[in-house]
Amino acid sequence: MGKTLQNRQENKLRYLPAIIALSVLYIVLLLLDNVLPANTFTLMLIPVLRKGAIYSLVCVSMNLLNGFTGLFSLGQAGFMLIGAYVYAIFSIPADQHAAVYQYFEGGAIQFSIPEMLGNVLGTNAGNFLGAIICIIIAGAVAAVFAALIGIPVLRLKSDYLAIATLGFAEILRAVFQWNGLGAITNGSNLLRKYTTFTDMNLQLGSITIKLHSLFPFLIAMLSILFIVLLINSTYGRAFKAIRDDEVAAEAMGINLFRHKMYAFIVSSFFAGVGGALLAMFQTTIQAAAFKTAMTYEILLMVVIGGIGSVSGSCIAAFLYIACSEWWLRFLDSGSFLGITVPFFRDGFRKVVFSVIIMVIVLFFSRGIMGDKELSFRGLISKLQKKSKKKEEADNG
């Protein structure tokens, strides 16, 4: 009985460091949006944090399919495109449709979910709840497309599956730019004026609290938590069994097609959610931006973090975004520490970044984390062991 109680207490303490770390992170995000003055540092930090949170979710969703189920899919950009467009279409205010769909007589959809809720609950509450509903719808539509596409393509394996999903993403990009669907997608024109992160505010009496940076982190964290719970469930163990050996998995009674379809749908749902968050981040959306290069970029983050590691995907996403969009920007400026350097010019940042990626891939062939996870419990245990060894060495 005493041992059981001790185990329960240990399990509670196991999550305490993670809870503390998340609480500190959320406080910092609130301070960045509401208290700290805008300067060069914060103006670079905030977009990197927001985009890093979005891409960490997209990377984890791709890792669920490629790393944990062993399905080599390259259709992530296509599902993000669906999510981004569905979100934008259902959140453009009614009085802005004429301006946005100026070439298509105001568009076919003449309502906005955040606006409808705002008329009942107030603008801030309507924007917040409406954005969440639109995000869920975006993920659901992406999942429906995945179910339809998955019926034929999931019977393919390895490279053939990759080619099929890549082709689907490219076809989808072309269809969304087709003027025949212009009344819905606005053709090759931008979608804009929809609800973005800057509309995420909490009204407490006369005080308005900005949730601009906290919102993407909340959505990304909850989504990643769901994926982690799925990976650690019986379905997750079935996914890993399929990845390791399909023949053995089928012999154990696992329905290969059904479980592949589950993984494909869940991965696509959260890719759609990531696409919706990306739309909120960018404030405008155009199908031409969702190219094959976007999928390759996400796959690269997954490989750098470690195929089969959720925490590795999150770490790699933040590092990738920070390096490519912030830390290496001085290489494009033409000077370093006030000294003019001739070869520091536009585009040199990408050259150096490519070399860094090559070094990581060469010397960390399994990625930063491999297939391991970042664990506070494991870190504390290692520190305790080192401390104990040091004490024994001092006493011995």
Side-chain angles (χ1 to χ4, degrees):
M1 185 73 177
K3 192 173 181 181
T4 304
L5 183 62
Q6 185 180 358
N7 290 335
R8 287 179 180 175
Q9 290 175 344
E10 286 179 357
N11 286 332
K12 289 179 180 179
L13 292 172
R14 174 183 176 183
Y15 300 106
L16 185 61
I19 293 170
I20 293 172
L22 285 173
S23 301
V24 171
L25 173 63
Y26 292 154
I27 291 169
V28 169
L29 292 172
L30 286 172
L31 290 174
L32 283 171
D33 284 336
N34 297 278
V35 178
L36 298 179
N39 53 48
T40 305
F41 178 76
T42 57
L43 289 175
M44 291 303 301
L45 176 63
I46 291 172
V48 166
L49 289 175
R50 293 177 187 175
K51 195 171 182 180
I54 295 165
Y55 270 84
S56 64
L57 168 58
V58 177
C59 287
V60 171
S61 72
M62 190 174 198
N63 212 345
L64 171 65
L65 203 59
N66 292 29
F68 290 97
T69 316
L71 299 176
F72 188 31
S73 170
L74 293 177
Q76 215 71 359
F79 295 115
M80 289 178 69
L81 169 62
I82 294 171
Y85 264 77
V86 170
Y87 173 83
I89 288 166
F90 284 107
S91 60
I92 298 173
D95 60 352
Q96 297 294 334
H97 276 79
V100 175
Y101 291 93
Q102 56 182 326
Y103 301 109
F104 300 98
E105 299 180 356
I109 297 175
Q110 297 290 331
F111 67 91
S112 165
I113 293 176
E115 188 177 44
M116 289 168 63
L117 290 174
N119 293 334
V120 179
L121 304 173
T123 302
N124 290 329
N127 285 336
F128 190 87
L129 293 176
I132 291 175
I133 292 171
C134 288
I135 288 170
I136 293 171
I137 294 172
V141 174
V144 170
F145 271 84
L148 296 173
I149 295 299
I151 294 171
V153 303
L154 289 180
R155 302 185 186 279
L156 303 173
K157 293 183 180 180
S158 63
D159 298 343
Y160 300 103
L161 175 61
I163 293 168
T165 51
L166 183 63
F168 158 73
E170 288 299 298
I171 291 168
L172 199 63
R173 185 162 62 90
V175 168
F176 271 70
Q177 294 180 87
W178 177 43
N179 284 338
L181 291 176
I184 299 174
T185 64
N186 208 23
S188 58
N189 305 300
L190 290 172
L191 282 179
R192 52 197 174 87
K193 304 289 187 181
Y194 51 80
T195 307
T196 64
F197 291 146
T198 55
D199 298 311
M200 298 298 106
N201 300 306
L202 177 64
Q203 193 71 37
L204 296 176
S206 60
I207 301 172
T208 302
I209 300 175
K210 299 175 182 177
L211 305 175
H212 306 172
S213 299
L214 187 62
F215 185 82
F217 271 87
L218 282 173
I219 300 298
M221 184 203 70
L222 291 173
S223 300
I224 292 171
L225 178 61
F226 180 90
I227 294 173
V228 170
L229 292 174
L230 179 65
I231 290 169
N232 292 317
S233 69
T234 54
Y235 285 102
R237 288 191 284 273
F239 296 158
K240 293 173 187 176
I242 293 170
R243 175 196 63 189
D244 295 337
D245 192 328
E246 287 193 10
V247 176
E250 191 171 24
M252 291 169 62
I254 295 173
N255 187 316
L256 297 182
F257 180 77
R258 187 173 66 187
H259 282 84
K260 285 180 181 180
M261 181 66 83
Y262 287 161
F264 194 57
I265 289 173
V266 172
S267 175
S268 302
F269 175 87
F270 288 109
V273 170
L277 292 175
L278 186 63
M280 297 182 75
F281 172 77
Q282 294 182 169
T283 68
T284 60
I285 282 296
Q286 190 174 28
F290 292 83
K291 299 178 180 178
T292 306
M294 180 180 284
T295 298
Y296 293 154
E297 191 176 47
I298 297 164
L299 180 61
L300 182 59
M301 293 181 206
V302 172
V303 171
I304 291 172
I307 296 177
S309 172
V310 172
S311 51
S313 294
C314 296
I315 293 168
F318 280 101
L319 288 177
Y320 187 96
I321 297 300
C323 285
S324 62
E325 301 195 7
W326 183 14
W327 295 341
L328 298 179
R329 274 188 177 273
F330 71 93
L331 296 172
D332 291 347
S333 63
S335 63
F336 179 64
L337 298 176
I339 302 171
T340 302
V341 183
F343 51 83
F344 279 15
R345 60 185 66 183
D346 289 344
F348 187 66
R349 167 171 51 114
K350 294 182 179 179
V351 175
V352 175
F353 188 53
S354 301
V355 172
I356 293 171
I357 290 170
M358 287 173 64
V359 170
I360 292 173
V361 172
L362 286 171
F363 292 96
F364 296 91
S365 58
R366 299 188 63 197
I368 296 171
M369 295 296 295
D371 58 355
K372 297 179 175 60
E373 298 293 350
L374 185 65
S375 169
F376 286 101
R377 186 179 182 184
L379 181 62
I380 292 169
S381 178
K382 285 180 182 178
L383 291 173
Q384 288 175 342
K385 285 179 181 178
K386 285 183 179 180
S387 178
K388 191 175 181 181
K389 286 181 180 179
K390 188 177 179 182
E391 288 179 4
E392 289 175 352
D394 293 340
N395 296 331

